[in-house]
Amino acid sequence: MDTATPAVTVALHDGASVIASSGQVDARRHGELLMPAVDRVLAEAGVKLDAVTGVVVGVGPGPYTGLRVGLVTAATFGSALSVPVHGLCTLDGLAYAAGQGGLEGPFAVATDARRKEVYWARYEDARTRTGDPAVDRPADIAAELAGLPVVGAGAVLYPEAFPDARGPEHVAAGALAALAAERLAAGQELLEPQPLYLRRPDAQVPKNYKVVTPK
């Protein structure tokens, strides 16, 4: 599952292929949409929740509120079912999906970070990221990414900085699950299911905040 972008996306993978998936783009309703999506996927696959043997969750980067919905839900499933919970960079899932769609490297991935910024990373190919994800203004990285295709909604939002925008715009849980299954089968370790925020949340305690205690 992934809630790091405006897409609320869930998929069920049997270790070889995706057997059911759901995706809906709505940046303000992650909490409302995630569990019904899980129910739909399980119903489509004809299995119960207790058949799940592991959980993969996108760790971002992404905005604070949406991202934590998926991470908390994944952690809850892991605890309730006593199954492992693995993290995977959301940008890696987008890169993998782009590769499945025929895009060859090198290229970059950029998602909307709000505040007129993007979360982004460079890729040698669909499976190989060449550096850590970052958050920047599009104009500040336009020269660095000049000549490269850029995958994701961040590229679509800022065509003046990223003229060669490519799809998909949002991550799909099916691609995330397929990449995770591939890496696990190869004996690679995945990330801890911890959020990759890259910056502080918008909501913060005001400065000079005074604590009032009753007399």
Side-chain angles (χ1 to χ4, degrees), residues 111-195:
T111 61
D112 182 18
R114 304 175 186 172
R115 304 184 193 175
K116 297 182 179 180
E117 295 178 328
V118 294
Y119 297 116
W120 68 281
R122 292 184 62 146
Y123 290 81
E124 186 63 30
D125 54 49
R127 295 173 173 82
T128 311
R129 178 160 34 90
T130 58
D132 292 332
V135 57
D136 288 289
R137 291 184 176 272
D140 293 341
I141 58 174
E144 183 177 350
L145 301 183
L148 292 179
V150 182
V151 174
V156 175
L157 284 170
Y158 303 101
E160 68 285 354
F162 313 119
D164 190 3
R166 305 289 183 93
E169 288 190 33
H170 302 293
V171 68
L176 205 72
L179 178 58
E182 185 177 293
R183 289 181 174 176
L184 289 170
Q188 300 178 26
E189 291 189 7
L190 300 186
L191 301 175
E192 291 295 319
Q194 299 297 323

Side-chain angles (χ1 to χ4, degrees), residues 45-85:
V47 300
K48 301 295 185 181
L49 183 59
D50 59 9
V52 172
T53 58
V55 180
V56 175
V57 60
V59 300
Y64 178 81
T65 303
L67 180 55
R68 67 178 179 174
V69 170
L71 287 163
V72 169
T73 302
T76 301
F77 283 153
S79 177
L81 300 172
S82 298
V83 299
V85 180

